[in-house]
Amino acid sequence: EELDYKTHYLFIWTGNCTNRLIPTFQQRGVPWNYSFSLASQNCSCVIDKFREDYTQTEVMALNYEERAERGSYYAQICAGKIKEM
């Protein structure tokens, strides 16, 4: 259930994701403050999608490839590139 996620886990997950995405926006010439905002919005959407489909325990049990595959799928949904199945 979505509410089973621990706050600290969500905080670290969101922070790590945001820090990884900021450079992709900056490489496109987006200023840091706006890059931070865009990255945190994108990451929050993807994390919310994970929370709809997996408990925290299930997310932690996914291997790197599974998490990356699901994350890519959710990112495309969040960006409006594909519709959710």
Side-chain angles (χ1 to χ4, degrees):
E1 171 133 342
E2 177 174 306
L3 298 177
D4 290 339
Y5 280 76
K6 301 295 181 195
T7 303
H8 186 256
Y9 183 78
L10 292 171
F11 177 79
I12 297 297
W13 190 2
T14 306
N16 287 341
C17 177
T18 299
N19 285 330
R20 273 182 264 144
L21 274 185
I22 288 172
T24 63
F25 291 109
Q26 289 184 300
Q27 290 169 356
R28 298 181 204 156
V30 178
W32 187 90
N33 287 349
Y34 194 53
S35 292
F36 176 84
S37 179
L38 290 171
S40 63
Q41 288 173 21
N42 286 319
C43 290
S44 293
C45 180
V46 169
I47 291 168
D48 285 345
K49 294 294 181 192
F50 268 102
R51 293 173 69 202
E52 289 172 10
D53 293 340
Y54 298 96
T55 65
Q56 179 178 338
T57 303
E58 291 170 333
V59 168
M60 292 171 55
L62 296 172
N63 66 38
Y64 177 81
E65 291 80 19
E66 291 168 329
R67 280 191 317 270
E69 179 184 313
R70 295 309 297 170
S72 268
Y73 170 68
Y74 294 141
Q76 290 179 19
I77 291 169
C78 292
K81 293 182 179 179
I82 63 171
K83 294 220 184 263
E84 211 162 345
M85 294 181 165

